[in-house]
Amino acid sequence: MGLLALALGGFGIGLTEFVIAGLLPQVSRGLDVSTAAAGWLISGYALTVAVGAIAVTAATAGMPQKPILVGLLALFVAGNLLCALAPNYPTMLLGRVVAALCHGSFFGIGSLVARRLVPPERASRAVAMMFAGLTVANVLGVPFGALVGERWGWRATFWAITAIGAVALIAIAALIPRWAGGAGGAGDAGGAGVGRKADLRSQLHAFHSTQVWLTLAATALGYGGMFGAFSYLAYTFTEVTGFSSTDVAWLLVVYGTGLVVGNIAGGRGADHNRDVTLLVSLAGLAATLTVFGLLASSRPAAVILVFLLGVFGFATVPGMITRVTDAAGGVPLAASANVSASNVGNAVGAWLGGLVISAGWGYAAPLYVGAGIVGVGLVVMGWAARGSVNGDRGGGRGTATGDAVEAQRS
């Protein structure tokens, strides 16, 4: 039940991230701002996630993690409440920033709590369960926002998300055991609880590990390649494949369904052999993007390939998070840094995709750029896997955190 509570929190946070895309025209008209200004409600959120994931986790170092999760969801509720009540654009943007502050730390800290709730050999599947809420939100977010916004107005969407956040807050407070949400520190995933300053210092010390940085780099490159292509898929579908603009919505649902499948498969695979799963997923993602570029003019191929893009793209998520936290000795800051790395990758990938379109290379070009970025990520992941075979922390199954907890509980 604790995992379901975390998944519900992830669902609410995912809705907040994705729902705005379907509401931008309504918000722009309602607050009397330009489309470009309304776009900052998306980019401002993403930038806040990238910075806030590390800043909030560092600021709460050494504190019990269950109360932190409850506090983060309270922040989430407050941010969405501000959006629902916003009388003007600055208040709306502030609400988005407040809600975004909880995003990275919730998934970073929540992933450590999730894996404490299960036996060590199911660690990556537990993380996948928490992220299932995010993947389902990706499938439902845009159509949910558009439907509710069209029927009752865009503010009703944020009222609904506020209510979901409140339910998730209560569920986590009631269902997460105290032993699973203790204070976490370096080498102490089970939560023995050390002093805040010492814990922050030890968490920062964990970043001396080469495996941590290689895993963060592989995360950023994998995400950057996928989202660099995904950011322009609507143009690829309409300008290259020949779909109508009304077809884009169901095609994105196909992509989101792939995310759900990839999340489940990636969690199971990572618990069996994490590095092999990550290497296969990145190789599959690079191959999918390349073939997608070659066959972008074919409608049947585009439907199949956008599904595979979601599958291989998100299959890396559970394994990357358990890998980076194991390499860092179970510190929460590493898990949150992984979320920041993915958002940095998203921003850089989208920027590079835009550059090739502006250079006149066509709307299929971001697919090839994405394949190249993921290819570099595959090389980095191969280097990391080779290092783990030679004895560095980070490879194998996601068991370091779970082992620490088992030792504490016994």
Coordinates of all heavy atoms in Angstrom, one line a residue, residues 65-108:
Q65 N 12.7 11.0 6.3 CA 12.3 11.2 4.9 C 10.8 11.1 4.8 O 10.2 11.7 3.8 CB 13.0 10.2 4.0 CG 14.5 10.5 3.9 CD 15.3 9.5 3.2 OE1 14.7 8.4 2.9 NE2 16.5 9.8 2.8
K66 N 10.1 10.5 5.6 CA 8.6 10.4 5.5 C 8.0 11.8 5.7 O 7.2 12.3 4.9 CB 8.0 9.4 6.5 CG 6.5 9.4 6.5 CD 5.9 8.4 7.5 CE 4.4 8.5 7.5 NZ 3.8 7.4 8.4
P67 N 8.4 12.6 6.8 CA 7.9 13.9 6.9 C 8.3 14.8 5.8 O 7.6 15.7 5.4 CB 8.6 14.4 8.2 CG 8.8 13.2 9.0 CD 9.2 12.2 8.0
I68 N 9.5 14.6 5.2 CA 9.9 15.4 4.0 C 8.9 15.1 2.9 O 8.5 16.1 2.2 CB 11.4 15.0 3.6 CG1 12.4 15.5 4.6 CG2 11.7 15.7 2.3 CD1 13.8 15.0 4.4
L69 N 8.6 13.9 2.6 CA 7.7 13.6 1.5 C 6.3 14.2 1.8 O 5.7 14.8 0.8 CB 7.5 12.1 1.4 CG 8.7 11.3 0.8 CD1 8.4 9.8 0.8 CD2 9.0 11.7 -0.6
V70 N 5.8 14.2 3.0 CA 4.6 14.9 3.3 C 4.7 16.4 3.1 O 3.8 17.0 2.5 CB 4.2 14.6 4.8 CG1 3.0 15.4 5.2 CG2 3.9 13.1 5.0
G71 N 5.8 16.9 3.5 CA 6.0 18.4 3.3 C 6.1 18.7 1.9 O 5.6 19.8 1.4
L72 N 6.8 17.9 1.1 CA 6.9 18.2 -0.4 C 5.5 18.2 -1.0 O 5.2 19.0 -1.9 CB 7.8 17.1 -1.0 CG 9.3 17.2 -0.7 CD1 10.0 16.0 -1.3 CD2 9.9 18.5 -1.3
L73 N 4.6 17.2 -0.6 CA 3.3 17.2 -1.2 C 2.5 18.4 -0.7 O 1.6 18.9 -1.4 CB 2.6 15.9 -0.8 CG 3.1 14.7 -1.7 CD1 2.4 13.4 -1.3 CD2 2.7 15.0 -3.2
A74 N 2.7 18.8 0.5 CA 2.0 20.1 1.0 C 2.4 21.2 0.1 O 1.6 22.1 -0.3 CB 2.4 20.3 2.4
L75 N 3.7 21.3 -0.3 CA 4.2 22.3 -1.2 C 3.5 22.2 -2.6 O 3.1 23.2 -3.2 CB 5.7 22.2 -1.3 CG 6.5 23.4 -1.9 CD1 6.4 24.5 -0.9 CD2 8.0 23.0 -2.1
F76 N 3.4 21.0 -3.0 CA 2.7 20.7 -4.3 C 1.3 21.2 -4.3 O 0.8 21.8 -5.2 CB 2.8 19.2 -4.5 CG 1.9 18.7 -5.7 CD1 2.4 18.8 -7.0 CD2 0.7 18.1 -5.4 CE1 1.6 18.3 -8.0 CE2 -0.1 17.6 -6.4 CZ 0.3 17.8 -7.8
V77 N 0.6 20.9 -3.2 CA -0.8 21.3 -3.0 C -0.9 22.8 -3.0 O -1.8 23.4 -3.7 CB -1.5 20.7 -1.7 CG1 -2.8 21.4 -1.4 CG2 -1.6 19.2 -1.9
A78 N 0.0 23.5 -2.3 CA 0.0 24.9 -2.2 C 0.2 25.6 -3.6 O -0.4 26.5 -4.0 CB 1.0 25.4 -1.2
G79 N 1.2 25.0 -4.3 CA 1.5 25.5 -5.7 C 0.3 25.4 -6.6 O 0.0 26.4 -7.4
N80 N -0.4 24.3 -6.6 CA -1.5 24.1 -7.5 C -2.7 24.9 -7.1 O -3.5 25.3 -7.9 CB -1.8 22.6 -7.6 CG -0.9 21.9 -8.6 OD1 -1.0 22.0 -9.8 ND2 0.0 21.1 -8.0
L81 N -2.8 25.1 -5.8 CA -3.9 26.0 -5.3 C -3.7 27.4 -5.7 O -4.6 28.1 -6.1 CB -3.9 25.9 -3.7 CG -5.1 26.6 -3.0 CD1 -6.4 26.0 -3.5 CD2 -4.9 26.4 -1.5
L82 N -2.4 27.8 -5.7 CA -2.1 29.2 -6.2 C -2.5 29.3 -7.7 O -3.1 30.3 -8.1 CB -0.6 29.5 -6.1 CG -0.1 30.2 -4.8 CD1 1.4 30.3 -4.9 CD2 -0.8 31.5 -4.7
C83 N -2.2 28.2 -8.5 CA -2.6 28.2 -9.9 C -4.1 28.3 -10.1 O -4.6 29.0 -10.9 CB -2.0 27.0 -10.6 SG -0.2 26.9 -10.8
A84 N -4.8 27.6 -9.3 CA -6.3 27.5 -9.4 C -6.9 28.9 -9.1 O -7.9 29.3 -9.7 CB -6.9 26.5 -8.5
L85 N -6.3 29.6 -8.1 CA -6.8 30.9 -7.7 C -6.2 32.1 -8.4 O -6.6 33.2 -8.2 CB -6.6 31.0 -6.2 CG -7.3 30.0 -5.3 CD1 -6.9 30.1 -3.8 CD2 -8.9 30.2 -5.4
A86 N -5.1 31.9 -9.2 CA -4.3 33.0 -9.7 C -5.1 34.1 -10.4 O -5.8 33.8 -11.4 CB -3.3 32.4 -10.7
P87 N -5.0 35.3 -9.9 CA -5.7 36.4 -10.5 C -5.0 37.0 -11.7 O -5.5 37.8 -12.5 CB -5.9 37.4 -9.3 CG -4.6 37.2 -8.5 CD -4.4 35.7 -8.6
N88 N -3.7 36.7 -11.8 CA -2.9 37.2 -12.8 C -1.7 36.3 -13.2 O -1.5 35.3 -12.5 CB -2.3 38.6 -12.4 CG -1.6 38.6 -11.0 OD1 -0.9 37.7 -10.7 ND2 -2.0 39.5 -10.2
Y89 N -1.0 36.6 -14.2 CA 0.1 35.8 -14.7 C 1.2 35.6 -13.7 O 1.7 34.4 -13.5 CB 0.6 36.3 -16.0 CG 1.8 35.6 -16.6 CD1 1.7 34.3 -17.2 CD2 3.1 36.1 -16.5 CE1 2.8 33.6 -17.6 CE2 4.2 35.4 -17.0 CZ 4.0 34.2 -17.6 OH 5.1 33.5 -18.0
P90 N 1.7 36.6 -13.0 CA 2.8 36.4 -12.1 C 2.4 35.4 -11.0 O 3.3 34.6 -10.6 CB 3.1 37.8 -11.5 CG 2.6 38.8 -12.6 CD 1.5 38.1 -13.2
T91 N 1.2 35.5 -10.5 CA 0.8 34.5 -9.5 C 0.7 33.1 -10.0 O 1.1 32.1 -9.4 CB -0.6 34.9 -8.9 OG1 -0.6 36.3 -8.5 CG2 -1.0 34.0 -7.8
M92 N 0.3 33.0 -11.3 CA 0.2 31.7 -11.9 C 1.6 31.1 -12.1 O 1.9 29.9 -11.8 CB -0.4 31.8 -13.3 CG -0.5 30.5 -14.1 SD -1.8 29.4 -13.4 CE -1.8 28.1 -14.5
L93 N 2.6 31.9 -12.5 CA 3.9 31.5 -12.7 C 4.5 31.1 -11.3 O 5.3 30.1 -11.2 CB 4.8 32.6 -13.3 CG 6.2 32.2 -13.7 CD1 6.3 31.0 -14.6 CD2 7.0 33.4 -14.3
L94 N 4.2 31.9 -10.3 CA 4.7 31.5 -8.9 C 4.2 30.2 -8.5 O 4.9 29.4 -7.9 CB 4.3 32.6 -8.0 CG 4.7 32.4 -6.5 CD1 6.2 32.3 -6.3 CD2 4.1 33.5 -5.6
G95 N 2.9 29.9 -8.8 CA 2.3 28.7 -8.4 C 3.0 27.5 -9.1 O 3.3 26.5 -8.5
R96 N 3.4 27.7 -10.4 CA 4.1 26.6 -11.1 C 5.4 26.4 -10.5 O 5.9 25.2 -10.4 CB 4.2 27.0 -12.6 CG 2.9 27.1 -13.3 CD 2.4 25.7 -13.6 NE 3.2 25.0 -14.6 CZ 3.1 23.7 -14.9 NH1 2.1 23.0 -14.3 NH2 3.8 23.1 -15.8
V97 N 6.1 27.5 -10.1 CA 7.5 27.3 -9.5 C 7.4 26.6 -8.2 O 8.2 25.7 -7.9 CB 8.1 28.7 -9.4 CG1 9.4 28.6 -8.5 CG2 8.5 29.3 -10.8
V98 N 6.4 27.0 -7.3 CA 6.2 26.4 -6.0 C 6.0 24.9 -6.2 O 6.5 24.0 -5.5 CB 5.1 27.1 -5.2 CG1 4.8 26.3 -4.0 CG2 5.5 28.5 -4.9
A99 N 5.1 24.5 -7.1 CA 4.7 23.1 -7.4 C 6.0 22.4 -7.9 O 6.2 21.2 -7.5 CB 3.6 23.0 -8.3
A100 N 6.8 23.0 -8.7 CA 7.9 22.3 -9.3 C 9.0 22.1 -8.3 O 9.8 21.1 -8.4 CB 8.5 23.2 -10.4
L101 N 9.1 22.8 -7.2 CA 10.1 22.6 -6.2 C 10.0 21.3 -5.6 O 11.1 20.7 -5.1 CB 10.0 23.7 -5.1 CG 10.5 25.1 -5.4 CD1 10.1 26.1 -4.3 CD2 12.0 25.1 -5.6
C102 N 8.9 20.7 -5.5 CA 8.7 19.4 -4.9 C 9.0 18.2 -5.8 O 9.3 17.1 -5.4 CB 7.3 19.2 -4.3 SG 6.1 18.7 -5.6
H103 N 9.0 18.5 -7.1 CA 9.1 17.4 -8.1 C 10.3 16.5 -8.0 O 10.2 15.3 -7.8 CB 9.0 18.0 -9.5 CG 8.9 17.1 -10.7 ND1 7.9 17.1 -11.6 CD2 9.7 16.0 -11.0 CE1 8.1 16.1 -12.5 NE2 9.2 15.5 -12.2
G104 N 11.5 17.1 -8.2 CA 12.7 16.3 -8.2 C 13.0 15.6 -6.9 O 13.3 14.4 -6.9
S105 N 12.8 16.3 -5.8 CA 13.1 15.7 -4.5 C 12.1 14.6 -4.2 O 12.4 13.6 -3.5 CB 13.0 16.8 -3.4 OG 14.1 17.7 -3.6
F106 N 10.8 14.8 -4.6 CA 9.8 13.7 -4.3 C 10.2 12.4 -5.0 O 10.2 11.4 -4.3 CB 8.4 14.1 -4.8 CG 7.4 13.1 -4.6 CD1 6.7 13.0 -3.3 CD2 7.1 12.1 -5.5 CE1 5.8 12.0 -3.1 CE2 6.1 11.1 -5.3 CZ 5.5 11.1 -4.1
F107 N 10.6 12.5 -6.2 CA 11.0 11.3 -6.9 C 12.4 10.7 -6.4 O 12.6 9.5 -6.4 CB 11.0 11.5 -8.4 CG 9.6 11.6 -9.0 CD1 9.1 12.7 -9.5 CD2 8.8 10.4 -9.1 CE1 7.9 12.8 -10.1 CE2 7.6 10.5 -9.6 CZ 7.1 11.7 -10.1
G108 N 13.3 11.6 -6.1 CA 14.6 11.2 -5.6 C 14.5 10.5 -4.2 O 14.9 9.4 -4.1

